[in-house]
Amino acid sequence: MPSNNTGIVVGYLAGSYPGRIGHLFSPEGLRQTHDWMPFALDNGKFACWSRGKPWDESSYIAMLDAVAERKQVPRWALVPDAVADLEQTKKLWDVWSPRIKSYGWKLAFAVQDGMTKDDVPRDADVVFVGGSTDWKWQTMYQWTQNFERVHVGRVNSPTRLWSCHEAGVESCDGTGWFRGDQNQLNGLITYLDKSFKGQTRKMLWT
């Protein structure tokens, strides 16, 4: 799922490899979509945290309300979390999940450093693997072995993309595929080509 990107190359790849490309939108990057292009909703928390900026709750709510006016339903919405904070993330789930569930959408829970499968709420539909980079890759198989639907955040290299594929991840997102590095883009295209022809794993959305 190229993050906040609806450019022509994304559309071309989506048409060339049906069922392999989708969108991930954050509050500041919401765009119009085609009915045939699946999408999910990020909460924008990690981007704010990494930039040292406060999270804008009103922008997140505005995104939810805007999407609720559309005919197309998101695959899931990421409930607000607290980056690298296990306890606060669970508290935020209790606060936000009833509100977002009222839209009728599937909910994603962002797991953080130190969490185990027992920390995932029973009513979470998707496990979104966040947390620190090292922890994320060390624990990825833990999540796919225990949950049917797993999304991995911040995947921006062909090597990591194949790692997700082999682990049985349902989807992943990244911002770096279309920023001018032709080798990186070629790696994505090679992955799409080989995985589309093979159809050997359950990973569907990049």
Side-chain angles (χ1 to χ4, degrees):
M1 291 181 170
S3 302
N4 302 325
N5 190 323
T6 56
I8 189 170
V9 178
V10 175
Y12 170 78
L13 293 177
S16 299
Y17 304 98
R20 288 299 197 187
I21 295 286
H23 295 304
L24 181 69
F25 294 121
S26 56
E28 75 277 6
L30 182 64
R31 294 167 173 81
Q32 290 294 329
T33 58
H34 299 286
D35 291 343
W36 47 267
M37 189 82 162
F39 72 99
L41 301 176
D42 195 359
N43 58 37
K45 281 273 194 167
F46 183 83
C48 291
W49 176 82
S50 62
R51 298 168 188 164
K53 295 182 178 180
W55 182 65
D56 187 352
E57 176 180 318
S58 62
S59 293
Y60 178 69
I61 295 173
M63 176 184 70
L64 300 181
D65 289 341
V67 171
E69 296 296 321
R70 301 180 179 182
K71 293 181 180 180
Q72 189 182 13
V73 175
R75 289 177 60 79
W76 42 263
L78 180 60
V79 173
D81 59 297
V83 179
D85 190 327
L86 183 157
E87 293 300 333
Q88 184 63 18
T89 292
K90 292 195 289 186
K91 291 178 181 178
L92 286 170
W93 176 270
D94 293 336
V95 172
W96 280 94
S97 62
R99 180 170 185 172
I100 303 171
K101 190 176 293 185
S102 69
Y103 290 93
W105 304 333
K106 302 294 185 182
L107 305 185
F109 176 77
V111 292
Q112 309 292 340
D113 291 41
M115 284 188 176
T116 69
K117 62 183 179 63
D118 295 328
D119 291 302
V120 177
R122 292 185 177 181
D123 54 341
D125 301 289
V126 178
V127 170
F128 186 112
V129 186
S132 67
T133 299
D134 288 343
W135 181 84
K136 174 177 63 179
W137 296 116
Q138 290 169 3
T139 63
M140 180 172 60
Y141 275 88
Q142 168 185 315
W143 308 112
T144 57
Q145 289 169 0
N146 287 283
F147 297 93
E148 180 67 22
R149 303 188 64 186
V150 175
H151 176 92
V152 178
R154 311 190 312 278
V155 179
N156 290 292
S157 76
T159 299
R160 293 303 193 187
L161 193 54
W162 279 110
S163 295
C164 291
H165 182 103
E166 292 302 321
V169 168
E170 178 183 277
S171 59
C172 63
D173 69 80
T175 59
W177 298 104
F178 304 96
R179 292 184 174 178
D181 186 331
Q182 193 61 46
N183 289 330
Q184 190 175 18
L185 178 57
N186 287 340
L188 172 61
I189 294 172
T190 297
Y191 164 77
L192 290 169
D193 189 56
K194 290 184 177 181
S195 63
F196 183 76
K197 290 178 179 177
Q199 298 287 331
T200 58
R201 297 283 178 168
K202 70 175 184 177
M203 186 178 179
L204 300 176
W205 310 107
T206 302

